Amino acid sequence: MTDIVDELKWRGLFAQSTDEDALRKALADGPVTFYCGFDPTAASLHVGHLVQVLTMRRLQQAGLRPLALVGGATGQIGDPRPTAERTLNDPETIREWVDRLRSQIEPFLDFEGSRSAHPATMVNNLDWTGGMSAIEFLRDIGKHFRVNKMLTKDSVARRLESDQGISYTEFSYQLLQGMDFLELYRRYGCTLQQGGSDQWGNLTAGLDLIHRVEPEAQVHALATPLMTKADGTKFGKTEGGAVWLDPEMTTPYAFYQFWLNVDDRDVSKYLRILSFRTRAELEELEAQTEERPQARAAQRALAEELTTLVHGADQCAAVVAASKALFGQGELTELDEPTLKAALSELPHARVEALGPVVDLLIAAGLAPSKGGARRTVKEGGAYVNNVKVAAEDAEVTADQLLHGRWLVLRKGKKNLAAIEVTGG
């Protein structure tokens, strides 16, 4: 069992623990029950959460028993943000989001025991906080926390130094998360909490509470590093915002493209953290990236594996086919409309009321600055409509060329793509 710690370290998933030697001994004595929490502060998990969800999967495969906590209580408050107070959502919205997050987490873990000796359990902290009075909370939980220590947490300290300050509501979040660990220890014998390194203050708050209430308890915390980009920007963010796991919020095509476009400097790190390929397979992909970075073999492997994990093999196959077809390596006419629409939404996009000359469409799509430039592109053999080369400078597009009755894919040269949507009747 202790080799899981070495595996986590090799993959870059081990930032810190409360006592590594004690953790290794607990894992060797096993089995260990652990938990990781997810707050429903949005309608979906995003790719940043994948680190924790897939680490849970990895730990279960190594023989640990997972408790996946979706915070129906803590989600009503939210962990303090560094800059400003959170917007509080109404309880009905939180309940809906709890269900959505649970359905996103469930496919990654074995809840039936069919693939693991220790089935996972889904829990909700509203179950033990919903009926608790404020007096009970302050008397039974609050008395064990020291305010001077709570003030040292980074997000709290930054807010105290700001003009906005911090409300008692958000300040109390540490107490609620600490109570979660205590309650899971009592109900399920949970002795390990997993989370991101930015949550270290909350993780250790739970340990401190258990040690005060149950002095003989042997409990642990394990933090994974925060994923970052080589260019300094935040992981999981694009110009359009967060990359969500919900296909309605981020299409499978956009999800695939996010991973396909990962920087060469980041791809090996992301593969180690997120992929379930063996060490030998990952080292081979790293070698290929070093030797032929233009082939982007590592990015394709990462994109296909994660798209399959999150959206399923059929959706992955569809977006791979769409990605190839856009560049002339497959038939655009074979793509279903939702996949085509998702793919085209990632391209420069123009809407026109009626069809017309190709040169006008090239200008509308931003692929040519003028009619003279558009004609020159056609004359030089660099203009394509739906992957078919345009032969004549005065060529016109006809209705029978429309994909699903409304779309055209224009291409200039090998790589410059744009979409046209015909809105007229």
Side-chain angles (χ1 to χ4, degrees), residues 36-55:
C36 185
F38 305 87
D39 278 343
T41 52
S44 172
L45 298 175
H46 54 69
V47 295
H49 293 115
L50 267 182
V51 179
Q52 303 310 325
V53 176
L54 297 182
T55 300

Side-chain angles (χ1 to χ4, degrees), residues 114-357:
S114 58
R115 306 186 307 274
S116 171
H118 304 289
T121 302
M122 192 74 72
V123 294
N124 184 343
N125 55 20
L126 191 61
D127 292 344
W128 51 84
T129 56
M132 179 179 282
S133 70
I135 294 298
E136 288 173 322
F137 178 67
L138 293 172
R139 183 192 64 198
D140 297 339
I141 302 300
K143 70 178 181 180
H144 298 293
F145 284 80
R146 298 297 174 262
V147 171
N148 57 331
K149 187 169 184 179
M150 294 172 68
L151 293 173
T152 63
K153 185 182 176 186
D154 286 345
S155 60
V156 172
R158 285 196 293 269
R159 287 280 292 280
L160 287 173
E161 294 168 1
S162 70
D163 294 336
Q164 294 88 354
I166 185 171
S167 70
Y168 179 76
T169 300
E170 287 198 356
F171 185 61
S172 68
Y173 186 91
Q174 293 180 60
L175 281 71
L176 290 171
Q177 186 165 331
M179 184 172 67
D180 288 344
F181 199 176
L182 173 63
E183 196 65 31
L184 294 175
Y185 171 78
R186 288 172 166 171
R187 294 187 178 209
Y188 298 95
C190 177
T191 56
L192 172 63
Q193 183 178 182
Q194 166 211 330
S197 57
D198 60 328
Q199 287 283 307
W200 188 248
N202 290 332
L203 269 61
T204 54
L207 266 73
D208 292 344
L209 176 60
I210 292 175
H211 286 147
R212 289 178 181 275
V213 178
E214 307 278 354
E216 302 302 316
Q218 298 294 316
V219 288
H220 314 272
L222 170 64
T224 59
L226 290 182
M227 288 181 71
T228 56
K229 289 183 179 181
D231 63 7
T233 59
K234 190 172 182 180
F235 169 76
K237 293 285 186 179
T238 66
E239 291 182 4
V243 180
W244 303 99
L245 305 194
D246 188 309
E248 299 297 321
M249 297 170 69
T250 297
T251 66
Y253 183 86
F255 184 87
Y256 175 86
Q257 290 295 322
F258 172 78
W259 300 108
L260 190 62
N261 292 320
V262 162
D263 193 304
D264 288 340
R265 296 169 294 174
D266 292 323
V267 68
S268 293
K269 174 175 67 176
Y270 294 172
L271 272 167
R272 290 190 183 205
I273 289 173
L274 298 167
S275 172
F276 286 86
R277 285 177 166 82
T278 65
R279 183 178 299 200
E281 290 172 327
L282 294 181
E283 288 174 344
E284 173 61 25
L285 285 169
E286 290 171 5
Q288 290 180 33
T289 299
E290 187 74 23
E291 294 168 8
R292 296 185 64 242
Q294 69 277 11
R296 304 186 73 77
Q299 283 90 341
R300 293 182 190 282
L302 179 65
E304 290 183 18
E305 181 173 358
L306 293 180
T307 304
T308 299
L309 275 171
V310 173
H311 296 297
D314 290 345
Q315 278 289 349
C316 182
V319 299
V320 169
S323 184
K324 291 180 177 179
L326 288 180
F327 292 94
Q329 299 172 28
E331 292 296 331
L332 288 165
T333 54
E334 294 180 1
L335 302 180
D336 63 79
E337 187 170 7
T339 301
L340 177 68
K341 182 179 179 181
L344 298 187
S345 69
E346 301 298 308
L347 302 178
H349 194 98
R351 291 182 173 87
V352 298
E353 291 188 1
L355 295 171

Side-chain angles (χ1 to χ4, degrees), residues 328 331-332 358 382-391 401 409 411:
E331 292 296 331
L332 288 165
V358 171
Y384 296 81
V385 175
N386 296 346
N387 291 331
V388 177
K389 184 181 290 189
V390 180
Q401 290 176 270
V409 178
R411 178 157 51 93

